[in-house]
Every structure is written in C-alpha cells, then in structure tokens.
Amino acid sequence: MLCGFVYFSFATAKLHLPAVAQRYVIWVAEYGPHCNYGSNYGIWQHSSTGSVPGVNGNCDLDYAYIDYAGVINKKQPVTRKNPDELAAEVLNGQWGNGVDRQQRLTAAGYDYAVVQEKVNRLLNHKSVDQIACKVIRGSWGNGKERITRLKQAGYDPIQIQKRVNQLL
C-alpha cells in the first residue's frame, strides 16, 4: 500500500499552507457528483458510503488526479484532470467519439467508464423543475431513499426539496 501526506482542514477560504504542505497537492473531501473546490487538488473524495468487496461497512471513494506512485518513486508528478473536466472536454468534441474516444481516454490513463458516465449524466440532466415535478409524483421515493437517489443521479436534494415545497 502506498502512503503519503495529508493536510487536514475545514477551511472554506484559500489556504496559507505550511511550507511542507505546499509541495503537495490538496486532497478534497466533498461528497456529491461535482467537486466545487476552487483551487488545485490531487485527490477528490466524492463519497464516504462506497463499498469494496471484502470490506465490511462503508468505504471512502476517491479519484486521484496525480501519479502518486511516480511522486513516491521521485518521478515528476503528472497532474490529472477530474472526470467533470474531461466530460466537458468530451462534450466540446476534444476526445472524439465511440471507440476512438474510449481508446484515447484509456491511452491517456483515464477510466473511460467514469468519464462516459459523467458525460451521460450531463446529457440526461433534467432541470430542477422537471425533477421536482417527478418527486411530487412519487417517482424518486421518500426520505433517505429519495436523498440517496437524487445525489447518485447528480442532483442537489436540498435544492430539489426547496422547489418541491414552492410548487406545493
């Protein structure tokens, strides 16, 4: 198992990191379909409720955008784009289509399935009003089930519930 340094903070403004931490890129824990942190980050922990075969209970799910093995082996780190950035590039036509897209993303070291899933979500994303109407009709379930399903689909459950309340 590769190990590294973590600088932990609840900061909501730009950090003034100690000298030792400035040599490393930040790890961000922000749960949901998008990371809104406004600066460079090397790891995004997007969930704390994942599952891993052979592990009992919830696990953190992370995306790493830096070749940490290379860093540990004293090679030059390679900054990676996050899936949201790549999905935007795909939609702008920068990665081709079909098998060509899959081959190019894979050759660049990205997980094609993760990127394509983000692209599909962006293409199929419905407005807050559309989702709120479906919630009112009962299509998204209730309580924690609804919250979980909305988050997994890339929607903000609080924003959706606020609109549901306005419509009712």
Side-chain angles (χ1 to χ4, degrees):
M1 174 183 278
L2 300 175
C3 297
F5 170 82
V6 174
Y7 183 82
F8 184 76
S9 171
F10 285 102
T12 57
K14 216 166 199 167
L15 297 174
H16 295 286
L17 301 174
V20 68
Q22 289 177 8
R23 293 178 20 218
Y24 298 89
V25 179
I26 294 171
W27 164 74
V28 176
E30 182 179 335
Y31 305 136
H34 305 286
C35 184
N36 297 308
Y37 181 71
S39 190
N40 291 334
Y41 54 95
I43 296 177
W44 169 35
Q45 181 181 327
H46 60 93
S47 175
S48 64
T49 58
S51 63
V52 175
V55 176
N56 292 329
N58 292 335
C59 296
D60 294 343
L61 298 179
D62 305 308
Y63 293 116
Y65 306 110
I66 292 179
D67 177 8
Y68 287 101
V71 172
I72 291 167
N73 292 324
K74 306 216 186 292
K75 295 179 183 174
Q76 187 70 357
V78 177
T79 303
R80 309 291 292 165
K81 294 178 182 176
N82 68 48
D84 294 318
E85 291 173 300
L86 290 167
E89 289 180 2
V90 165
L91 291 173
N92 287 329
Q94 294 174 260
W95 288 91
N97 293 306
V99 175
D100 177 51
R101 175 188 302 161
Q102 183 175 5
Q103 289 172 344
R104 291 175 64 195
L105 285 166
T106 302
Y110 295 110
D111 185 332
Y112 169 76
V114 170
V115 175
Q116 190 60 47
E117 186 260 333
K118 292 282 185 181
V119 169
N120 293 343
R121 279 191 184 180
L122 290 171
L123 290 173
N124 295 319
H125 203 78
K126 300 200 180 335
S127 73
V128 171
D129 280 358
Q130 289 172 314
I131 297 301
C133 288
K134 289 186 178 218
V135 165
I136 291 169
R137 282 186 238 132
S139 301
W140 285 87
N142 292 303
K144 283 188 173 185
E145 176 197 7
R146 177 190 301 161
I147 291 168
T148 300
R149 290 181 62 204
L150 286 168
K151 283 182 180 178
Q152 288 174 340
Y155 298 103
D156 178 354
I158 294 169
Q159 182 185 29
I160 299 296
Q161 187 61 50
K162 184 178 177 181
R163 186 62 180 142
V164 166
N165 295 344
Q166 291 170 342
L167 292 172
L168 294 176

